[in-house]
Amino acid sequence: MYSLAKNLITEKDLSRKISLLENLVNHPQLTAKELAANIGTTERTVFNDIQSLRSDLPMGWQLEADGNNGLSLISADYATTNEVWEYFMKDSISIQLIKKLLFSKKLAVQTFVNTHGISFETLKRHTKKVNQKLKDFQLRITVSATAISLTGEESSIRVFYHRLLLPFTHNNFFFEEYAIHQTNYRDFLARISRSGIGIETEEIFGTCWFFINTIRIKAGCLTEAFHFDEEDALFKLYHKDLEKLYASEGIRLNKTEHFFAFFCFIESWNYSVIPDAFLKNLLLKEYPDLFAGANRFVSGLSAALNQNNLDKSDLTENLVLFLLKYFESKQLSDKFLLEYHELSSLSQRRFPELYQLISQEVKNYGLDYLSDSGYVINTLAFLIKEALYSISPRQITAYFLFQGEPAWKSFLYRELQDLLGNRVHLKNLNTDELSNYQLEENDIIISNYPLQYQSKQTVVYVSSIPTQNEMQEIRELIRPFYL
């Protein structure tokens, strides 16, 4: 959740302690050996860090050791995970530097080094490390003898801060008086819903954009000029309500900032949610070419994948929404997609054949105005894969051959069904029935007794009461079918 923030922490010991705590938050108990392996350090270092952490943890948290069984991170009922993060982040020079640059165009070097008790050389060393992480966002922190500034296009700066601060939007570590700002944004969403132009959105996603835009505008850090259509039908539809939203923060938007705020709003629109009749008719009327392009693309893709039911999924509507963002501003779309740059490599690695197919189909079906980038193909790949899962979610079959007390067998069958999820069909069979089925290569067999049946499929033998290791083996077998 805090992956970007963690990567920006330049202090090795602090980063290691946070990783240690993250492991303990995600696991009820871990040994020092397991922690060392997970973090990539030695057991001695883990023991030293534990000793240091015992006295450093915020109120409501404590570390407990249970002999050879391992360590546990215990919290009081009122304690939240955020408290642990914030408690240690305040000690990071790099995080404090980035936090202060959110609210100001420039920082005075002397004030910053004096406040944090560091030398000018130490400041430059931390800055150099942070800049390695900022390359993906096309940004850089520059340090002169007197001033510190974050250089790059303002829209890129805001994209970076949105990615960084999204997990922190609901607390006051970066955003003071959160409840007031959140109420303003919720009022905006309620107002457009009452007007009949509401759409289901990711509320915290949109609230974070609202906060960042407000903070940067108040700091005098305005977005660069870019092309947009002031007469665009969708922009005009939300124009007045967005004006009221930012006026609630004492901000009068100029034309560019107004459109940027609008674009941030449509970025928060959820996929796979059909808009109400008024909005759907407006989109059909004002953007017919987007629907035509989406229909051609889905039709061609259906033929290429031999999936005739693809047009019955939400793919066409999802594709229209994605194309709509490009129609509103190609420049901003490309920049906003950079926010999750690491998803591109995940998409290529996870769906290599689909990735290549989409690249070809984009050119074949009138979508060649899309940016020729991995970010675009990546987004399309996820939308298409989601549609494919919706029409054909089950990829493999697990055959359940179990001899035991009927009530227990029924209970265990239900437990395994829930464990396997909806991409694995669990089929209950007797041994003599197995030969009647044509098993696929990826299918698996789960049995509590030895089988005479010769099979190329993986067979998992379980006890009458399956052990944790046996259940874990099943989990490992189905893991490739899930993220």
Side-chain angles (χ1 to χ4, degrees), residues 51-178:
Q51 288 300 110
S52 173
L53 284 169
R54 286 189 191 280
S55 57
D56 288 343
L57 285 172
M59 187 178 296
W61 291 86
Q62 59 182 357
L63 282 164
E64 287 190 358
D66 181 16
N68 293 326
N69 293 324
L71 293 154
S72 298
L73 185 62
I74 309 298
S75 65
D77 292 340
Y78 60 83
T80 64
T81 309
N82 277 340
E83 291 175 345
V84 177
W85 255 93
E86 293 167 22
Y87 190 81
F88 289 98
M89 283 175 66
K90 74 182 187 309
D91 295 328
S92 170
I93 298 299
S94 52
I95 292 294
Q96 291 303 321
L97 178 60
I98 287 167
K99 181 179 179 179
K100 291 184 183 300
L101 285 170
L102 169 64
F103 296 90
S104 178
K105 272 187 175 181
K106 287 185 179 180
L107 302 175
V109 168
Q110 201 59 47
T111 302
F112 186 84
V113 297
N114 288 344
T115 300
H116 295 280
I118 59 173
S119 67
F120 181 65
E121 290 303 317
T122 300
L123 171 64
K124 289 202 297 183
R125 188 171 67 251
H126 283 286
T127 302
K128 183 178 180 181
K129 292 178 182 178
V130 173
N131 282 335
Q132 292 297 318
K133 308 298 181 182
L134 293 178
K135 283 182 179 179
D136 289 330
F137 295 90
Q138 300 166 4
L139 300 176
R140 179 177 178 80
I141 295 174
T142 56
V143 180
S144 69
T146 59
I148 311 166
S149 58
L150 185 55
T151 58
E153 292 187 341
E154 175 59 25
S155 53
S156 298
I157 291 173
R158 295 190 197 182
V159 165
F160 161 72
Y161 274 116
H162 188 266
R163 174 64 193 282
L164 172 65
L165 304 185
L166 189 59
F168 300 98
T169 307
H170 56 292
N171 60 31
N172 291 324
F173 184 72
F174 283 93
F175 303 117
E176 295 181 0
E177 299 179 327
Y178 164 73

Side-chain angles (χ1 to χ4, degrees), residues 275-340:
D276 62 26
F278 173 79
L279 194 53
K280 180 71 177 288
N281 289 333
L282 176 75
L283 295 175
L284 284 166
K285 177 184 176 183
E286 298 293 337
Y287 311 98
D289 291 345
L290 300 186
F291 282 90
N295 282 320
R296 287 195 302 270
F297 180 82
V298 173
S299 177
L301 195 67
S302 297
L305 294 172
N306 195 26
Q307 289 284 351
N308 296 329
N309 291 328
L310 203 54
D311 58 347
K312 296 178 182 177
S313 69
D314 295 326
L315 181 57
T316 301
E317 286 77 12
N318 285 342
L319 188 57
V320 168
L321 175 54
F322 180 67
L323 297 178
L324 183 63
K325 295 173 184 179
Y326 256 86
F327 178 83
E328 295 294 350
S329 175
K330 184 177 187 295
Q331 181 180 345
L332 287 181
S333 290
D334 286 338
K335 192 156 290 186
F336 276 47
L337 286 172
L338 282 171
E339 183 171 354
Y340 295 97

Side-chain angles (χ1 to χ4, degrees), residues 451-479:
L451 299 178
Q452 300 299 320
Y453 177 82
Q454 296 298 315
S455 171
K456 295 180 180 178
Q457 287 70 32
T458 300
V459 181
V460 180
Y461 288 108
V462 297
S463 308
S464 292
I465 301 177
T467 66
Q468 285 296 323
N469 286 339
E470 290 166 350
M471 297 296 276
Q472 183 59 32
E473 186 179 353
I474 294 172
R475 291 190 188 95
E476 291 296 328
L477 278 173
I478 66 171
R479 182 173 292 177

Side-chain angles (χ1 to χ4, degrees), residues 137-304:
F137 295 90
Q138 300 166 4
L139 300 176
R140 179 177 178 80
I141 295 174
T142 56
V143 180
S144 69
T146 59
I148 311 166
S149 58
L150 185 55
T151 58
E153 292 187 341
E154 175 59 25
S155 53
S156 298
I157 291 173
R158 295 190 197 182
V159 165
F160 161 72
Y161 274 116
H162 188 266
R163 174 64 193 282
L164 172 65
L165 304 185
L166 189 59
F168 300 98
T169 307
H170 56 292
N171 60 31
N172 291 324
F173 184 72
F174 283 93
F175 303 117
E176 295 181 0
E177 299 179 327
Y178 164 73
I180 297 173
H181 304 301
Q182 183 189 40
T183 298
N184 290 334
Y185 194 77
R186 283 182 169 173
D187 287 346
F188 160 70
L189 294 178
R191 187 164 59 247
I192 61 176
S193 292
R194 288 194 300 270
S195 304
I197 57 174
I199 187 76
E200 187 173 317
T201 66
E202 287 294 322
E203 184 182 322
I204 293 179
F205 189 93
T207 305
C208 188
W209 271 121
F210 172 51
F211 287 177
I212 290 168
N213 291 340
T214 298
I215 290 166
R216 297 298 289 178
I217 293 169
K218 286 182 177 179
C221 306
L222 303 182
T223 55
E224 65 278 3
F226 51 84
H227 175 74
F228 64 92
D229 181 7
E230 293 181 43
E231 297 301 313
D232 175 70
L234 203 59
F235 176 46
K236 291 173 72 175
L237 184 65
Y238 295 103
H239 184 278
K240 294 295 182 184
D241 291 301
L242 284 166
E243 255 182 7
K244 290 179 183 177
L245 170 63
Y246 282 83
S248 68
E249 298 284 341
I251 291 174
R252 183 181 177 87
L253 295 169
N254 66 31
K255 289 181 179 179
T256 304
E257 290 291 354
H258 204 144
F259 186 84
F260 191 87
F262 160 72
F263 195 85
C264 292
F265 168 58
I266 64 171
E267 270 292 305
S268 74
W269 288 16
N270 271 326
Y271 286 102
S272 301
V273 178
I274 300 174
D276 62 26
F278 173 79
L279 194 53
K280 180 71 177 288
N281 289 333
L282 176 75
L283 295 175
L284 284 166
K285 177 184 176 183
E286 298 293 337
Y287 311 98
D289 291 345
L290 300 186
F291 282 90
N295 282 320
R296 287 195 302 270
F297 180 82
V298 173
S299 177
L301 195 67
S302 297

